[in-house]
Amino acid sequence: MFKGKVLVAQGGGPTAVINQSMVGAVLESRKFRNVELVYGAAHGVRGIVDEEFLDLTQETTHNLEMVAETPSSALGSTRDKPDLKYCQEIFKVLKAHEIGYFFYIGGNDSSDTVRIVSDEAKNAGYDLRCVHIPKTIDNDLMVNDHTPGFPSAARFVAQAFMGINLDNWALPGVYIGVVMGRHAGFLTAASALGKKFPDDGPHLIYLPERTFDPEQFVADVKRVYDTYGRCVVAVSEGIHDATGAPIITRLTDQVERDAHGNVQLSGTGALADLLVDLVKKKTGIKRVRGDTLGYLQRSFVGCVSDVDQREAREVGEKAVQFAMWGSRDGSVTIHRTGFYSVDYHFTELTEVAGKTRVMPDNFIAASGNDVTDAFLMYLRPLLGRGLPDAYRLRNNYVPKVLNP
């Protein structure tokens, strides 16, 4: 261990439990005598280059614990994707402020930032321990069994589709819900966890791991509708055609792009509207509705997995322990043991940084529009305690008198 200040930052999309990781790292750091001060960067790496630091050493433990229970990123976040030049500016600030330990909570891009900053420190001969703390609702970090933030978002999606199914059963029609997930379908697949009865929705689930054929989609919807008199569909925003082009670009000529040039997949609600129009035109079904769950999935208050909270806190704590007692930089990764428990490993940054994990084949049904029992068994322990349930009246109909 070497003396120095600690800097913690949060990057990428907020989650329901990212503050647990931040608070875990802060409180664990304050236990070590070699830590002089603990800072937090406002709005991630952007706050670092702008030298916008909060002194978290002055925060009371009580207030930190209250913040830990609060969804979203308490330090603020950023969508900046630093290149080498940007990371050199980050390192310059870290060195100027005598930062000895840098903890960055985030996903794929954040882990790559940690990797580059780590290399810069080594090249300069500067004592800096760099640790990536995993976070993403997409569940697409390599090496990890699952990623903090995903279980709570998955719980929300499961409960949302449970409610959608109840509504659709009462007033039948076609419902299409678009869920986040550009390359990985884990979150969309979570919609299946709310199913209880054989005819429950979602009846169809479309993931970016499989090619999406609009004509087959319409045929699937019509088949389910003819069978049940209704159809609930969960669609990942990242669905694409055989060439890899996002489906939204095939259904409209007007597409929006984000700051990094990526096609805006679901933020505007366009994909849901386009799929609704497609079903109406091709099938003649009149009651067809669509929604985009959007930001609701990330930081919904009151829908948090207790398992997710606990593990998010622990990865923050383990990051500090690995940094203080180890001799290398890396990423904290989660590994499942037994039916359900986890262990934490310290993994080389190169194994995680800039890479994307997708759903394995055994989680996806052969039809390509549903999930398997293996996925349900994988996900259920992550959702935590107290998952709501839904019941129906039994069909004890009274015999007709006028029209038997």
Side-chain angles (χ1 to χ4, degrees):
M1 291 188 288
F2 40 86
K3 293 189 66 174
K5 300 170 186 174
V6 165
L7 176 64
V8 182
Q10 298 171 322
T15 80
V17 298
I18 189 173
N19 289 332
Q20 290 281 1
S21 297
M22 181 269 289
V23 170
V26 171
L27 292 180
E28 193 70 11
S29 294
R30 298 200 314 195
K31 296 176 182 178
F32 289 85
R33 296 181 64 181
N34 61 304
V35 173
E36 298 171 351
L37 292 167
V38 181
Y39 293 164
H43 297 285
V45 290
R46 172 55 53 188
I48 297 177
V49 296
D50 290 341
E51 296 186 77
E52 295 183 349
F53 294 162
L54 287 75
D55 186 353
L56 301 180
T57 321
Q58 299 185 43
E59 281 286 352
T60 64
T61 299
H62 174 76
N63 193 51
L64 284 171
E65 291 291 1
M66 295 300 98
V67 170
E69 296 286 334
T70 306
S72 190
S73 302
L75 287 172
S77 191
T78 179
R79 282 296 189 188
D80 287 5
K81 295 171 68 173
D83 55 14
L84 177 58
K85 184 178 180 181
Y86 196 128
C87 288
Q88 288 171 340
E89 290 300 310
I90 292 173
F91 173 64
K92 186 186 301 182
V93 173
L94 298 182
K95 186 176 180 181
H97 283 266
E98 299 180 333
I99 302 299
Y101 300 89
F102 174 40
F103 299 101
Y104 198 17
I105 311 166
N108 313 73
D109 295 329
S110 300
S111 61
D112 205 35
T113 297
V114 174
R115 178 188 63 80
I116 300 172
V117 172
S118 172
D119 288 344
E120 287 300 302
K122 291 173 183 174
N123 292 337
Y126 179 77
D127 287 335
L128 177 66
R129 184 68 66 240
C130 299
V131 178
H132 167 245
I133 301 175
K135 174 256 18 165
T136 173
I137 67 167
D138 292 332
N139 202 35
D140 61 353
L141 285 181
M142 294 295 289
V143 184
N144 292 269
D145 175 79
H146 57 278
T147 312
F150 165 68
S152 293
R155 184 181 174 110
F156 172 82
V157 170
Q159 291 183 205
F161 273 88
M162 186 186 299
I164 289 163
N165 175 68
L166 292 169
D167 189 290
N168 186 262
W169 185 90
L171 287 173
V174 175
Y175 175 88
I176 301 170
V178 177
V179 183
M180 283 183 173
R182 182 177 292 269
H183 301 296
F186 288 100
L187 199 56
T188 305
S191 60
L193 262 291
K195 299 172 69 171
K196 180 175 181 179
F197 298 98
D199 62 336
D200 276 344
H203 306 98
L204 300 168
I205 302 172
Y206 295 94
L207 311 169
E209 286 83 359
R210 294 291 182 268
T211 297
F212 184 89
D213 181 345
E215 295 301 321
Q216 184 61 51
F217 164 70
V218 171
D220 290 344
V221 171
K222 184 68 166 58
R223 172 179 52 78
V224 172
Y225 187 83
D226 289 344
T227 302
Y228 300 118
R230 65 192 190 95
C231 182
V232 176
V233 185
V235 179
S236 173
E237 65 179 5
I239 53 173
H240 57 81
D241 64 17
T243 69
I247 289 298
I248 192 171
T249 63
R250 283 189 52 180
L251 298 178
T252 181
D253 295 329
Q254 298 180 339
V255 296
E256 294 186 20
R257 295 183 180 273
D258 62 22
H260 305 295
N262 298 316
V263 174
Q264 194 71 39
L265 298 178
S266 68
T268 63
L271 180 58
D273 292 342
L274 290 166
L275 292 175
V276 164
D277 289 342
L278 180 65
V279 171
K280 283 183 176 179
K281 291 176 182 177
K282 296 287 187 177
T283 67
I285 300 172
K286 291 183 170 55
R287 194 168 194 274
V288 186
R289 303 290 185 268
D291 284 323
T292 300
L293 273 60
Y295 289 167
L296 288 173
Q297 299 155 100
R298 297 204 303 218
S299 303
F300 197 87
V301 177
C303 187
V304 183
S305 161
D306 59 310
V307 173
D308 200 18
Q309 285 183 316
R310 180 177 68 251
E311 293 176 356
R313 171 63 72 95
E314 288 185 322
V315 293
E317 294 172 345
K318 291 301 295 184
V320 174
Q321 293 172 9
F322 284 132
M324 297 298 173
W325 297 329
S327 59
R328 62 185 177 89
D329 298 345
S331 177
V332 182
T333 52
I334 299 177
H335 301 261
R336 186 178 304 220
T337 61
F339 173 69
Y340 192 74
S341 60
V342 296
D343 195 8
Y344 303 100
H345 298 176
F346 201 43
T347 302
E348 293 290 343
L349 287 165
T350 52
E351 293 187 38
V352 179
K355 299 178 180 178
T356 301
R357 173 193 183 214
V358 297
M359 284 183 66
D361 289 340
N362 69 313
F363 283 0
I364 306 173
S367 63
N369 57 23
D370 203 350
V371 298
T372 64
D373 288 343
F375 174 75
L376 301 181
M377 292 292 289
Y378 161 81
L379 181 59
R380 182 59 188 91
L382 305 183
L383 302 189
R385 295 174 295 179
L387 192 68
D389 205 349
Y391 295 86
R392 293 183 184 178
L393 295 172
R394 295 182 175 88
N395 293 329
N396 298 314
Y397 282 102
V398 176
K400 295 181 181 180
V401 175
L402 296 179
N403 299 292

